[in-house]
């Protein structure tokens, strides 16, 4: 069968790479794709927001399965547009994607389903949110342990973690008065700040059966030691020792199953990837957020380890027969993915820098370089985004996988390239403390 993947990041390159390995898959198309997917699949020059042309392409090219990578097209109803034409699409409908697209929807659902999450309040205007903060925290230097969140999608920037009253009031002002995230700021969530380690548990579900993937840990801060501004993710590894098998079963029982059931009860069945962002607090695990698609970069190390044919799993999800899929098979070796970024990211950066050394990196054993923000310019791979590559490696241990990933990173260069040097070190730090 032919497969169409929507998106242009590292996650979509990993999906294209993995799906192309299926003996049942003939052609893999990626719209719009990047330089990495151009080499391994067929790029299609259609934007992610152009639903009519994507539908037309899928029909004309007999795409038996379309896989949607990012959240924005899902929240805008891409899956609905495909389903309306009788096309098979992996990813939740617009209503189900509200789990990520609306923090208010997500928090209310979690509360109703009794899933542990931070306490929260919803506000419709800046004045009532200000009043709430001022009434509760009146001392000038008091710790103000809150997180102020824009309700809607804000490219990962809509959650502002606060320590002081001034920060909380500024966050409210930015979201609700200055409208820094536009209509995403029509409502605000103010929630209790949680402290602890973060981990991601991703599961694939057809709305009834849940297949949990191996847990991963992202590195959201730009610089080593989790310093600096937040990014889309500077690296990830899987599995993470942060969650043992008993904790994963706990997450299934107390987080994933009640969420999937609550969606079904609300007549909004969820089909696709349910990604739970978790905080391990001293009071136990709590859900920080849901995403409704594979994490980027978590997808890269996870898929590098997956041995099961992904096409079978995604197709069974779309057809509502995930119960027929046997337990997933994994390479027992951990994988580490290091993101190489453009100078200036997550702020403004230049594009079009020629990338050298990709072939040398590719020759290293157990290494796969996934492209993210890259494009082809006269046959040469050049930078075209903030996160440029996800250099991923397997190893017999997390430190061995890390070593191999950084060995590959050393082969690759372009003007201004940088990366975090400590991806996966949190696993070791945690091991020491446990
Ligand atoms: P979100 O936009 O909800 O995905 O949150 C993005 C990031 O903000 C998370 O990965 C956490 O690092 C942080 N965050 C969100 N909610 C909380 C919270 N209640 N307490 C502490 N940190 C949080
Ligand atoms: N890596 C975080 C995310 O995909 O949202």
């Amino acid at each position: 069968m032919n497969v169409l993947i929507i998106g242009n990041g590292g996650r979509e390159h990993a999906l294209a790479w993995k799906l192309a390995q299926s003996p049942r898959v003939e052609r893999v198309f990626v719209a719009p794709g990047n330089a990495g997917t151009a080499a391994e699949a067929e790029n299609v020059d259609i934007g992610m927001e152009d639903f009519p042309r994507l539908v037309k392409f899928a029909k004309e090219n007999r795409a038996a399965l379309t896989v949607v990578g990012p959240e924005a097209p899902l929240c805008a109803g891409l899956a609905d547009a495909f389903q309306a034409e009788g096309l098979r699409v992996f990813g939740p409908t617009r209503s189900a994607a509200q789990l990520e697209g609306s923090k208010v929807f997500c928090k209310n659902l979690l509360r109703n389903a009794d899933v542990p999450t931070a306490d929260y309040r919803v506000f419709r205007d800046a004045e009532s949110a200000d009043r709430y903060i001022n009434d509760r925290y009146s001392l000038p230097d008091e710790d103000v342990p809150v997180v102020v969140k824009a309700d809607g999608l804000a490219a990962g920037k809509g959650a502002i973690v606060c320590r002081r009253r001034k920060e909380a009031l500024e966050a409210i002002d930015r979201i609700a008065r200055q409208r820094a995230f536009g209509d995403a700021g029509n409502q605000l969530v103010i929630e209790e700040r949680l402290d602890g380690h973060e981990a991601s548990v991703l599961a694939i579900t057809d709305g009834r059966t849940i297949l949990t993937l191996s847990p991963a840990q992202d590195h959201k801060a730009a610089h080593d030691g989790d310093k600096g501004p937040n990014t889309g993710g500077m690296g990830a590894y899987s599995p993470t020792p942060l969650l043992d098998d008993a904790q994963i079963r706990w997450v299934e029982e107390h987080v994933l199953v009640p969420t999937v059931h609550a969606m079904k009860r609300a007549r909004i069945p969820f089909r696709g990837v349910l990604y739970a962002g978790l905080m391990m607090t001293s009071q136990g695990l709590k859900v920080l957020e849901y995403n409704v698609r594979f994490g980027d970069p978590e997808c890269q190390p996870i898929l590098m380890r997956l041995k099961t044919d992904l096409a079978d799993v995604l197709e069974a999800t779309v057809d509502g027969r995930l119960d027929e899929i046997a337990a997933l098979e994994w390479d027992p070796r951990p994988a580490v993915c290091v993101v190489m970024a453009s100078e200036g990211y997550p702020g403004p950066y230049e594009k079009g820098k020629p990338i050298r050394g990709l072939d040398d990196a590719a020759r290293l054993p157990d290494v796969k370089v996934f492209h993210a923000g890259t494009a082809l310019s006269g046959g040469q791979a050049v930078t075209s985004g903030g996160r440029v590559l996800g250099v991923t490696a397997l190893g017999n241990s997390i430190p061995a996988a890390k070593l191999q990933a950084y060995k590959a990173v050393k082969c690759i260069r372009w003007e201004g390239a940088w990366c975090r040097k400590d991806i996966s070190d949190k696993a070791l730090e945690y091991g020491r403390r446990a």
Side-chain angles (χ1 to χ4, degrees):
M1 67 173 172
N2 296 342
V3 177
L4 169 63
I5 297 167
I6 312 286
N8 59 359
R11 165 183 47 211
E12 288 76 25
H13 186 189
L15 286 165
W17 169 79
K18 182 69 189 161
L19 286 167
Q21 290 168 22
S22 168
R24 294 193 304 116
V25 170
E26 288 159 49
R27 297 174 74 181
V28 178
F29 304 104
V30 189
N34 57 35
T37 60
E40 243 150 329
E42 299 172 55
N43 282 0
V44 180
D45 190 16
I46 305 178
M48 284 178 253
E49 61 298 319
D50 195 346
F51 297 178
R53 278 184 68 208
L54 289 171
V55 164
K56 188 161 172 273
F57 180 88
K59 280 187 180 166
E60 285 175 359
N61 293 277
R62 292 177 299 102
L65 176 68
T66 296
V67 184
V68 188
E71 64 278 13
L74 289 168
C75 291
L78 182 52
D80 310 64
F82 272 65
Q83 281 170 10
E85 296 290 328
L87 293 166
R88 290 158 87 228
V89 58
F90 178 87
T93 59
R94 178 187 183 140
S95 321
Q98 285 182 93
L99 265 186
E100 177 167 1
S102 165
K103 306 252 186 239
V104 174
F105 176 92
C106 177
K107 294 295 287 192
N108 290 343
L109 186 115
L110 290 172
R111 179 142 75 189
N112 290 336
D114 241 347
V115 174
T117 189
D119 280 340
Y120 69 101
R121 291 274 302 265
V122 176
F123 298 92
R124 292 179 181 281
D125 58 83
E127 291 66 39
S128 51
D130 282 349
R131 213 174 311 123
Y132 173 78
I133 293 292
N134 285 325
D135 287 352
R136 282 184 60 148
Y137 307 100
S138 47
L139 304 175
D141 286 327
E142 196 179 353
D143 182 35
V144 175
V146 301
V147 182
V148 180
K149 298 183 175 184
D151 173 51
L153 288 186
K157 301 195 178 92
I160 303 168
V161 181
C162 306
R163 306 203 170 264
R164 291 281 172 255
R165 188 166 59 158
K166 190 164 166 277
E167 290 172 320
L169 296 174
E170 275 170 13
I172 294 168
D173 189 59
R174 274 196 68 209
I175 296 172
R177 289 198 192 86
Q178 296 173 34
R179 316 278 296 170
F181 310 110
D183 284 351
N186 283 350
Q187 293 189 86
L188 289 172
V189 171
I190 299 186
E191 66 178 44
E192 160 203 17
R193 190 187 74 216
L194 304 174
D195 293 305
H197 288 278
E198 279 185 53
S200 314
V201 173
L202 284 74
I204 295 179
T205 178
D206 62 359
R208 286 185 304 147
T209 304
I210 297 171
L211 274 187
T212 306
L213 308 180
S214 191
Q217 192 174 37
D218 189 13
H219 294 65
K220 285 208 171 79
H223 305 304
D224 287 16
D226 285 346
K227 303 277 189 316
N230 256 353
T231 69
M234 293 303 297
Y237 68 96
S238 180
T240 170
L242 244 68
L243 294 170
D244 61 23
D245 289 347
Q247 283 167 307
I248 292 172
R249 276 197 300 280
W250 190 94
V251 171
E252 287 174 341
E253 193 180 330
H254 297 275
V255 174
L256 300 173
V257 169
T259 301
V260 169
H261 280 173
M263 293 294 283
K264 204 164 141 195
R265 273 201 309 277
R267 298 185 195 289
I268 316 175
F270 187 93
R271 279 189 184 171
V273 174
L274 186 58
Y275 162 147
L278 302 166
M279 184 76 96
M280 312 184 58
T281 76
S282 50
Q283 275 108 50
L285 281 162
K286 294 194 183 189
V287 175
L288 287 177
E289 58 159 341
Y290 271 125
N291 294 322
V292 298
R293 32 85 194 166
F294 286 104
D296 189 347
E298 293 95 322
C299 183
Q300 290 82 314
I302 289 176
L303 290 190
M304 189 125 171
R305 296 187 55 237
L306 183 67
K307 287 193 158 169
T308 307
D309 186 333
L310 185 65
D312 289 348
V313 179
L314 301 189
E315 238 189 340
T317 307
V318 173
D319 297 341
R321 46 174 185 79
L322 201 53
D323 56 338
E324 292 172 15
I325 298 286
L328 297 176
E329 273 186 68
W330 298 97
D331 189 321
R333 294 174 298 167
V336 172
C337 169
V338 177
V339 170
M340 295 180 74
S342 296
E343 186 173 9
Y345 177 79
Y349 52 82
E350 287 177 19
K351 298 180 184 179
K353 312 279 182 200
I355 306 170
R356 318 268 178 215
L358 287 166
D359 293 341
D360 294 336
R363 271 193 288 273
L364 292 174
D366 298 322
V367 165
K368 178 69 197 170
V369 179
F370 294 113
H371 287 232
T374 69
L376 282 176
S377 171
Q380 161 76 48
V382 299
T383 65
S384 71
R387 294 191 294 169
V388 177
L389 301 171
V391 181
T392 312
L394 291 161
N396 286 329
S397 62
I398 292 174
K402 177 190 172 188
L403 200 69
Q404 192 68 353
Y406 280 102
K407 209 165 154 187
V409 164
K410 279 216 183 79
C411 299
I412 302 169
R413 62 211 169 270
W414 71 85
E415 190 195 325
W418 65 278
C419 64
R420 270 180 71 156
K421 301 283 187 288
D422 65 343
I423 300 304
S424 80
D425 286 356
K426 284 197 263 190
L428 307 181
E429 182 196 317
Y430 183 79
R432 269 199 295 278
R433 209 173 312 135

